[in-house]
Amino acid sequence: DIVMTQSPDSLAVSLGERATINCKSSQSVLYSSDNRNYLAWYQQKPGQPPKVIIYWASTRESGVPDRFSGSGSGTDFTLTISSLQAEDVAVYYCQQYYSAPPTFGPGTKVEIK
Amino acid sequence: QITLKESGPTLVKPTQTLTLTCTISGFSLSTSGVAVGWIRQPPGKALEWLALIYGNDDKRYSPSLKSRLTITKDTSKNQVVLTLTNMDPVDTATYYCVKKRHGDYNYWGQGTLVTVSS
C-alpha cells in the first residue's frame, strides 16, 4: 500500500492569512502515460462527510473558492489556502488513487488563530 | 441530483456480522464504469477505504480486511450492500457510502455510526 503522510498535524492561522498543508506519498503517484498525479484533497467539517476540493493534484472542484489551490508532483504535494476564512476551519485529507487500495493521509486540522 | 444514503444497525455486538445498505439515486448501478464503495472513519481518526463495486459487478477490497468483507449490489433496488464479519470494538466507526469518480470520491453519503459493544 502507498503510505500517505501529512504535515503539520494541525495549524492555527489568522483570518486572511495563508495556510499551507503538505502531503507526501511513499511512492510516486505520477502516472507517466498521462502525466497526471493521482492525488486528491478533501475538506471535512465537523459532523459532515469529507468533500473533495482538489483532484489530479491541482484541479479545483467545481464551486470550490479559488483561494484553495493544489500543487506538487511525484511524491510531494501542497494544499494552500491563500486567505483563510472562518468557514475553512476543517480537517484536510490527501488521498492517492494511483494504486489499489486507495489510501488517505492522517489529516491536518486547520483552526483560526 | 446524485445522493447516497447509508442504513443499518447503530450497535452490534463483538463477533457479529455487520450489514450496511447504501441506497443510491440520480445514477444507475448498471452503467459501465460506475462504481460505488465504502469508506469508514473511527471517531476522531482518519479515513480508511474498504471496498468498491463496479457496474459490471467487478469488486475490489481492502487487502487488510478482505477476508471479512463482502460487497454486493442490487441494481433493481439501487442498493449496494456491505457485510463485515466478526465485528470487533476497533471496527467502531462512521461508515460512508461513496461514488467513485477518477479514483477520488465526489459523492458521499452522510455516514452511519456503527458502535461495536457488548
Side-chain angles (χ1 to χ4, degrees), chain B residues 1-52:
Chain B
Q1 180 189 3
I2 291 175
T3 64
L4 304 95
K5 186 172 184 179
E6 306 89 349
S7 58
T10 58
L11 179 66
V12 298
K13 290 180 168 51
T15 75
Q16 287 187 335
T17 293
L18 171 68
T19 300
L20 294 173
T21 300
C22 174
T23 302
I24 64 104
S25 66
F27 66 101
S28 172
L29 286 167
S30 60
T31 301
S32 176
V34 164
V36 171
W38 293 87
I39 291 170
R40 72 179 179 180
Q41 184 174 38
K45 296 188 178 181
L47 301 158
E48 180 183 19
W49 182 87
L50 300 177
L52 188 73

Side-chain angles (χ1 to χ4, degrees), chain A residues 37-79:
Chain A
N37 287 282
Y38 283 54
L39 183 114
W41 288 96
Y42 296 83
Q43 175 193 65
Q44 186 176 31
K45 297 181 179 180
Q48 297 183 18
K51 168 190 168 186
V52 64
I53 56 174
I54 300 283
Y55 58 100
W56 297 134
S58 61
T59 301
R60 197 179 305 115
E61 183 72 5
S62 174
V64 172
D66 61 6
R67 63 180 179 271
F68 290 90
S69 63
S71 62
S73 185
T75 61
D76 293 279
F77 300 90
T78 300
L79 175 69

Side-chain angles (χ1 to χ4, degrees), chain B residues 92-111:
Chain B
T92 293
T94 296
Y95 287 75
Y96 294 103
C97 180
V98 294
K99 183 177 181 291
K100 180 185 174 185
R101 185 172 49 183
H102 311 294
D104 59 325
Y105 296 91
N106 61 335
Y107 289 96
W108 295 62
Q110 281 301 305

Side-chain angles (χ1 to χ4, degrees), chain A residues 15-33:
Chain A
L15 288 172
E17 295 301 304
R18 179 184 299 261
T20 301
I21 301 168
N22 300 301
C23 172
K24 190 175 183 69
S25 55
S26 61
Q27 64 187 76
S28 176
V29 299
L30 174 62
Y31 194 34
S32 56
S33 67

Side-chain angles (χ1 to χ4, degrees), chain B residues 40 42-43 45 48 68 86-93 95 116:
Chain B
R40 72 179 179 180
K45 296 188 178 181
E48 180 183 19
R68 299 172 52 207
N86 194 24
M87 291 290 282
D88 182 273
V90 300
D91 295 312
T92 293
Y95 287 75
V116 184

